[in-house]
Structure formats: C-alpha cells, structure tokens
Amino acid sequence: QYVYAFVRSDDAQAIIARGLSGLNDAKLNMTSCGVLGAITSDIPVEKIRPRRQLLAAHQNVVTEISRQWDMLPVSFGLIAESDAELVRILESNADVLQQQLDRVGGQVEMNLVISLNTENAFQYFVERFPELKAAGAAVASGTASRDEMIEVGRLFE
C-alpha cells in the first residue's frame, strides 16, 4: 500500500467517496484503526523512484485532501507491506497522530516568499545586526575557531 496521508477515520470515508486517483491512476483506499485512518493506493512494487509524474500524483492527492480535511501528509515514497502493517503503525502512534491532527485542525498552510532587493545580502544583514558584525569581525581577523565560525553561520542563518 502506498501511503499519502494520515487522517481521521470519518474523514477517510468521505475522501475515498470523492473518487480521487493516486499514483499510476490507482483508486484510493483507506485503512482504519479506531479514530485514525491512512489514505493509500495499491502499488505493485516495494520501492519507487521519485519521477516527476509520480511526485505530481502524490502531491495532487495530498493537495486535494488538504482542501477540505485535516490531514498529516506523508513524505513521497512510503510503502507499507500490508494493511496489517498500517494498522500496527496507526495503533503504535495513535496518541501522537491524534494530537498532531488536533494541532493542525482548522489551520491553513501558506507559503511566504520574500525578495531582498540589495546587491550584497550579507552586508545588508551585517549592517543591521550588531551581533553579526561582531561575529564577522572575529572570523575576518582569523582568530575564530572552527566552532565559532560554525556559530557565525548559524547566527547568520
């Protein structure tokens, strides 16, 4: 079973009823365990390569589910050997999955893109943050240790 997302069992039934298709146009299935469910589709292999068509199909299923239901998306490529294995996963992680579904319930995901219009991004930040300026001076003087240089990188990040 190829796994797309973890959802609430009641929602899983409604998701399946929508008639969405997954990888290789496979019909979506659900595996339930108590109040939790997994949205899956049959797949005849144990491992898949991240080809554009397959990535797009995975993302389409996840996107369509997220439009109407709370869900925890699964990274591309997760394949369970059987429904029994999925039930074990749901059982052993029930508390965490339920907590996370409650946490994301009713929320939306947004992407924010920021463009910095400057010739030298590093200089821009150094001029605005005194701690970066001081840390950068230590590195430039050649007296900074390897750990201190790593810390400057973390600070800049």
Side-chain angles (χ1 to χ4, degrees):
Q1 293 290 315
Y2 182 86
V3 184
Y4 299 92
F6 295 112
V7 297
R8 293 182 179 89
S9 290
D10 292 344
D11 292 342
Q13 294 171 359
I15 292 165
I16 298 305
R18 288 267 322 268
L20 298 171
S21 296
L23 273 62
N24 301 320
D25 292 322
K27 180 182 85 159
L28 295 186
N29 307 312
M30 69 175 219
T31 299
S32 293
C33 178
V35 297
L36 297 171
I39 301 298
T40 66
S41 65
D42 293 336
I43 192 160
V45 296
E46 294 179 7
K47 193 172 186 180
I48 58 173
R49 299 177 71 79
R51 294 191 334 243
R52 183 177 301 156
Q53 179 183 15
L54 298 175
L55 289 165
H58 174 94
Q59 187 59 43
N60 182 57
V61 170
V62 169
T63 299
E64 287 302 314
I65 293 170
S66 71
R67 289 183 197 279
Q68 192 168 348
W69 297 280
D70 300 332
M71 61 109 190
L72 301 173
V74 173
S75 296
F76 176 84
L78 179 66
I79 299 174
E81 291 180 18
S82 65
D83 283 339
E85 181 183 19
L86 274 173
V87 168
R88 280 192 301 276
I89 291 169
L90 291 169
E91 283 177 340
S92 63
N93 296 286
D95 291 341
V96 172
L97 292 172
Q98 187 62 51
Q99 288 171 356
Q100 292 304 311
L101 279 168
D102 291 344
R103 186 180 66 81
V104 300
Q107 304 297 314
V108 296
E109 181 177 341
M110 299 177 71
N111 292 321
L112 176 65
V113 177
I114 298 174
S115 296
L116 185 59
N117 189 12
T118 184
E119 287 184 31
N120 185 333
F122 182 74
Q123 188 63 37
Y124 173 86
F125 284 103
V126 167
E127 289 173 2
R128 279 155 186 78
F129 297 96
E131 60 273 22
L132 271 178
K133 191 172 205 167
V139 170
S141 72
T143 61
S145 69
R146 181 177 181 275
D147 288 341
E148 288 171 326
M149 288 190 282
I150 290 171
E151 187 55 35
V152 170
R154 285 188 190 133
L155 184 61
F156 183 77
E157 184 181 0

